[in-house]
Amino acid sequence: MKVVAINGSPRQGGNTAVMIGWILRELEEEGLETELVQLGGRTIRGCQACYQCFENKDGRCAFEEDAANEIIAKMAAAQGVILASPTYFGDVTAEMKALIDRAGFVNKANGQIFRRKVGASLAVARRHGNVHVLATINNFFLANQFIVPGTDHFNTGFGRGKGEVLEDREARETMGLLGRNMAWLLKKING
């Protein structure tokens, strides 16, 4: 079984990457294959509502000149998907929003290719807005028939400067629990 984690942060190796790493370590300890995809430094434009994906029905967005189709294909091939974003003005990054909009259209145009995959969200914030980030990502998951595991707290961490989230002990514990719950659920679903 494979889990692909998508880091919506433009900053490589920052707080969002640290938190993803905590989850991926748990998943790997449970014997799952993992892959990290970094959105930072890549272009992903927003959905143009052209509906070509509904006409083509090829599991792809009709716009081919950016990284979206490569990432959508990785999401479709995996059994689990982690979407992670820092908080930018109370929501996900523009790159993450563009990806989930386009992936959602492709999913619906192609017979629900994400149905019953396990989806986990996480957010990083300096001070606030993280709950809205989780809502944006979880709304995508729920509207596209992902199954979402829970934890005993919100899937968030706090930090502004690079590496500050390392001081957030509760975030580390929550990400560990999220990784274990995700692994358990994947094993139950995929036998």
Side-chain angles (χ1 to χ4, degrees):
M1 284 178 282
K2 183 169 184 178
V3 175
V4 62
I6 301 165
N7 183 354
S9 176
R11 185 187 322 183
Q12 298 202 21
N15 292 321
T16 308
V18 168
M19 289 182 60
I20 292 170
W22 292 334
I23 299 172
L24 296 184
R25 275 190 286 285
E26 291 290 337
L27 293 169
E28 290 163 3
E29 286 179 15
E30 292 285 337
L32 288 110
E33 180 185 351
T34 65
E35 179 180 1
L36 175 62
V37 175
Q38 176 71 41
L39 295 187
R42 303 175 93 178
T43 300
I44 300 181
R45 74 183 241 186
C47 178
Q48 301 300 299
C50 68
Y51 290 91
Q52 281 298 124
C53 55
F54 283 87
E55 290 183 31
N56 296 342
K57 295 191 183 302
D58 61 359
R60 301 177 66 77
C61 174
F63 184 77
E64 297 281 352
E65 287 77 37
D66 66 12
N69 280 323
E70 172 196 339
I71 298 167
I72 292 168
K74 289 177 184 288
M75 292 168 67
Q79 290 72 46
V81 176
I82 298 167
L83 296 180
S85 180
T87 304
Y88 278 25
F89 294 95
D91 210 339
V92 296
T93 61
E95 295 84 0
M96 179 61 73
K97 182 63 172 129
L99 176 65
I100 65 176
D101 287 350
R102 287 176 59 196
F105 264 91
V106 169
N107 173 64
K108 292 183 183 308
N110 290 276
Q112 304 293 330
I113 59 176
F114 299 143
R115 180 187 293 126
R116 297 188 185 122
K117 293 185 182 294
V118 175
S121 61
L122 73 89
V124 180
R126 185 186 126 236
R127 191 174 304 270
H128 55 78
N130 51 325
V131 174
H132 193 79
V133 170
L134 295 176
T136 296
I137 296 171
N138 287 330
N139 285 337
F140 165 77
F141 284 147
L142 295 173
N144 290 285
Q145 298 188 41
F146 281 82
I147 300 168
V148 179
T151 63
D152 62 350
H153 199 59
F154 290 107
N155 300 340
T156 62
F158 294 94
R160 180 179 184 182
K162 197 171 186 176
E164 282 184 16
V165 77
L166 290 165
E167 299 172 23
D168 189 343
R169 183 183 54 80
E170 189 171 30
R172 184 188 309 256
E173 291 169 1
T174 301
M175 294 306 102
L177 179 57
L178 180 59
R180 291 187 299 278
N181 286 346
M182 189 175 196
W184 179 88
L185 185 55
L186 281 162
K187 290 175 182 179
K188 290 291 184 185
I189 292 170
N190 296 289

